Amino acid sequence: MGDLWAGVEAEAARRLLRGAVGLFAAKGYGGASTREIAESAGMSPAAMYVHFATKAELLYRIVGTVHEAAHAAVAEVGNTTVVERVRAMVFALAAFHAAHQQAARVTQNELAALDSERWGVIRDLRDATEGLFLRQVELGVRAGVFDVADVPGTTRAIVSMCVDVARWYSPAGPRTPDEIGALYAHLAMRMLAVH
């Protein structure tokens, strides 16, 4: 699934993002100092501020990147039947959260550290991703291929179970991200009672 930080132009900024993810995962946003983040990237604290004015900006960049990349993974699913599309979208979202487990877990755990303006931007990204699923589930219900009594609730449950992969998945565990994606796609089809 590629490097989350590949789109960041400066190598030093990429090192800071990777270091911050590791520290936030280990110590939490509040427990990791800017000095530790800079040291993890092999930089002085002053050099960090060239790329990120504050620790809050660094967290926002991590959270935003994870949400944008997850949305892109789902949005890139091809134009197939609605059943195949939803299956592929679930596969993509679950596999993404396994492949980028640490950054995705930091994103979920540290949302409360965002200020209200930044949280609003992230909430819009989350809603947009859920909206992609909602539209497809609605299409499937209208076409008679899904049997769902509560479309918004079922859609939210499917998206939530995919996102929750980041809380428990371990890259050292017995399943690959693709295996997790396949399992969750199967579970989602059961939840949608595919005809």
Side-chain angles (χ1 to χ4, degrees), residues 37-39 62 67 83 95 115 122 126 131 148 165:
I37 294 166
E39 287 173 0
I62 292 165
H67 278 84
V83 172
D115 62 36
I122 299 304
R126 291 166 73 98
V148 179
V165 167

Side-chain angles (χ1 to χ4, degrees), residues 55-190:
K55 186 170 79 165
E57 183 183 320
L58 188 56
L59 176 65
Y60 179 58
R61 182 68 176 269
I62 292 165
V63 172
T65 299
V66 167
H67 278 84
E68 289 167 2
H71 182 85
V74 171
E76 289 170 1
V77 168
N79 189 16
T80 58
T81 70
V82 69
V83 172
E84 291 168 345
R85 205 162 34 251
V86 172
R87 186 188 310 272
M89 290 167 69
V90 172
F91 177 96
L93 192 61
F96 174 89
H97 281 82
H100 302 292
Q101 182 272 336
Q102 193 174 57
R105 184 166 51 86
V106 166
T107 293
Q108 297 308 313
N109 290 348
E110 303 300 343
L111 285 174
L114 297 176
D115 62 36
S116 60
E117 182 179 340
R118 288 175 171 157
W119 164 239
V121 173
I122 299 304
R123 186 184 57 241
D124 289 348
L125 279 169
R126 291 166 73 98
D127 290 349
T129 301
E130 188 171 317
L132 293 173
F133 283 91
L134 183 62
R135 281 189 290 283
Q136 296 306 313
V137 173
E138 287 172 340
L139 282 172
V141 169
R142 282 199 299 272
V145 294
F146 297 153
D147 184 8
V148 179
D150 181 348
V151 171
T154 304
T155 301
R156 179 156 290 156
I158 290 169
V159 172
S160 295
M161 78 175 187
C162 294
V163 169
D164 195 55
V165 167
R167 294 195 190 278
W168 62 263
Y169 181 76
S170 171
R175 292 191 174 174
T176 67
D178 282 355
E179 289 170 334
I180 296 298
L183 171 62
Y184 276 52
H186 169 75
L187 294 172
M189 294 301 101
R190 299 293 294 270

